[in-house]
């Protein structure tokens, strides 16, 4: 069912003639100019909405010096884990050595509780680096600041919690090693979230 654009009377779904059976108006071309203008206005509105989102994402990532620094800082904790992070049986463990260990003998990693949780520690850092990066794209939205801070804090807690479990299982956390540097870099992200948000408040 549809309505005539002129008299607004209902027209059957199987009525295929070009003119309205009630007022004889051309169903296809009646008031065509106005309808075309309405379609153009709707398209412009939708395009502006898309532009607002893309501009917001741009501002959230590279729109200011704090945003650019924050973008780098999301990856920095993972890079910090290239430093010696754990020590076990006299051997130091960092991200690279853990990857080599998993590739060389995954059973030795997943069959040992300390090594398993050390592996999960590295994995958590990588996962939250990606999560925080994606979430930060929408910093310009209403609850962007709070959302960014919450996920950053959750990431720090998860990272530290798993590392402590690994340490209790036998993988000692190296003092001033990759773990502590990574935590410090993660916490710096909170200040950067606030700095980026101030740019949106102006």
């Amino acid at each position: 069912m549809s309505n005539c654009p002129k008299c607004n009377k209902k027209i059957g779904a199987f009525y295929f003639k070009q003119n309205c059976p009630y007022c004889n108006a051309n169903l296809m071309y009646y008031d065509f100019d106005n309808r075309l203008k309405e379609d153009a206005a709707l398209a412009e509105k939708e395009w502006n909405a898309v532009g607002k989102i893309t501009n917001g994402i741009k501002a959230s990532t590279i729109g200011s010096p704090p945003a650019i620094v924050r973008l780098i800082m999301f990856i920095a904790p993972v890079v910090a884990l290239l430093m010696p992070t754990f020590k076990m049986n006299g051997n130091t463990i960092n991200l690279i050595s853990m990857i080599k260990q998993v590739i060389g003998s995954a059973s030795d990693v997943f069959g040992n509780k300390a090594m398993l949780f050390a592996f999960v520690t590295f994995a958590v850092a990588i996962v939250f680096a990606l999560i925080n990066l994606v979430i930060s794209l929408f910093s310009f939205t209403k609850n962007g600041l709070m959302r960014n801070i919450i996920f950053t804090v959750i990431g720090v807690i998860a990272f530290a919690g798993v590392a402590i479990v690994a340490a209790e299982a036998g993988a000692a956390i190296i003092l001033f090693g990759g773990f502590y540097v990574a935590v410090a870099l993660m916490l710096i992200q909170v200040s950067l979230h606030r700095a980026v948000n101030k740019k949106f408040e102006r």
Side-chain angles (χ1 to χ4, degrees), residues 4 7 33 42 84 90 123 142 151 158 172:
C4 172
C7 65
D33 289 343
L42 180 61
K142 182 178 179 181
F151 273 91

Side-chain angles (χ1 to χ4, degrees), residues 77-149:
V78 177
V79 176
L81 296 178
L82 298 176
M83 299 171 59
T85 305
F86 295 102
K87 191 170 185 178
M88 186 175 175
N89 299 327
N91 298 316
T92 59
I93 302 170
N94 65 5
L95 179 59
I96 297 298
S97 64
M98 178 59 75
I99 293 173
K100 289 181 178 179
Q101 184 70 23
V102 170
I103 294 173
S105 180
S107 59
D108 290 343
V109 175
F110 301 123
N112 183 296
K113 184 178 179 181
M115 287 292 289
L116 173 61
F117 279 99
F119 168 80
V120 175
T121 301
F122 293 119
V124 167
I126 294 170
V127 168
F128 271 94
L130 296 174
I131 290 174
N132 289 327
L133 177 60
V134 172
I135 289 175
S136 73
L137 298 177
F138 304 96
S139 298
F140 66 96
T141 58
K142 182 178 179 181
N143 299 314
L145 175 61
M146 186 59 64
R147 182 170 56 246
N148 288 337
I149 292 176

Side-chain angles (χ1 to χ4, degrees), residues 162-173:
V162 178
I164 290 171
V165 173
E168 291 179 348
I173 299 173

Side-chain angles (χ1 to χ4, degrees), residues 7 32 35-36 41 44 62 88 106 131 133 135 145 162 175 184-186 190:
C7 65
F32 183 76
R35 282 188 288 165
L36 189 63
E44 184 179 2
I62 57 174
M88 186 175 175
I131 290 174
L133 177 60
I135 289 175
L145 175 61
V162 178
L175 189 62
L185 293 172
M186 290 177 185
V190 175

